[in-house]
Amino acid sequence: MPTQPRSAAPQPRRPRRPSQPRRARTLAVMLGVAAAVVTADAVSKALVLRDLPGRPPVRLLGGLLTLRLTVNPGAAFGVGTSYTAIIALIACGVIVYVIRMAARLRSLSWTIGLGLLLGGAAGNLGDRLFRAPGPLRGSVVDWLNLPHFPWTFNLADAAITCAAVLIGILAVCGVRIDGTSPAAAARETRGEQVTETP
């Protein structure tokens, strides 16, 4: 009897790359979030430097928020005050890394998280480059303080912290930067339809 031809084994699909229009929209969202953070951080620092020098701390919302002007040569929350230039170079590396990762973005949540990280890093890097005592050695302007929180911070620090929390949640949930999860990737390998995650 003639033997039946064997059906070819299904070949695993290659991961789909985002189309050019989608990539452009994703990049625009990330840069828009980053620009909003940088703008809000720069404007707030300018207002603080104009209005707070020489004044005692300003308590708002019944003490829930205190405005207190400090200058910080270290990293976020005053860490690493002796390594200002190294911290500035690390911030440059973070910015380059985020921009390179943007080509793989398909998840809105990752896009927002990386936009917050990019904006926060750029906001504080601007202080490092353009404030006294000089390039790569400039001190960051901090002005926000919360009750029972020992450090003063700024909007760039807050954006970096929010980005870290969001990225951590996405990592724990298994959401990848391309918008898929490990389970979705396995289904795509088997040829099944994959629904992108937000």
Side-chain angles (χ1 to χ4, degrees):
M1 294 178 61
T3 58
Q4 296 291 332
R6 294 182 179 179
S7 59
Q11 296 296 320
R13 296 184 179 181
R14 293 183 178 179
R16 294 174 297 172
R17 294 185 177 180
S19 63
Q20 290 295 336
R22 182 183 180 87
R23 184 180 299 175
R25 287 195 301 270
T26 302
L27 183 61
V29 171
M30 187 189 77
L31 294 179
V33 172
V37 172
V38 171
T39 302
D41 183 62
V43 170
S44 65
K45 287 172 179 175
L47 293 175
V48 163
L49 289 173
R50 185 192 69 183
D51 297 334
L52 286 186
R55 295 184 59 182
V58 179
R59 295 168 60 86
L60 302 175
L61 304 175
L64 180 61
L65 184 66
T66 301
L67 309 184
R68 178 185 291 109
L69 175 61
T70 63
V71 290
N72 172 23
F77 310 127
V79 178
T81 55
S82 301
Y83 303 98
T84 305
I86 295 175
I87 293 169
L89 293 176
I90 291 173
C92 291
V94 169
I95 292 171
V96 171
Y97 177 77
V98 170
I99 292 174
R100 291 188 61 183
M101 293 291 286
R104 297 171 52 195
L105 279 171
R106 289 176 68 185
S107 164
L108 178 60
S109 300
W110 271 99
T111 299
I112 293 173
L114 291 182
L116 290 171
L117 180 59
L118 178 61
N124 281 340
L125 180 61
D127 284 0
R128 304 286 181 206
L129 294 177
F130 302 116
R131 297 193 189 279
L136 296 181
R137 297 178 293 113
S139 296
V140 173
V141 175
D142 290 332
W143 56 279
L144 290 167
N145 191 256
L146 299 174
H148 312 297
F149 191 71
W151 300 290
T152 306
F153 58 97
N154 56 43
L155 294 183
D157 295 332
I160 292 171
T161 302
C162 291
V165 172
L166 178 56
I167 291 172
I169 292 172
L170 294 173
V172 169
C173 294
V175 178
R176 295 176 175 175
I177 196 170
D178 61 359
T180 63
S181 65
R187 291 197 302 272
E188 185 171 7
T189 300
R190 295 195 299 268
E192 300 175 13
Q193 183 68 30
V194 176
T195 301
E196 294 179 8
T197 53

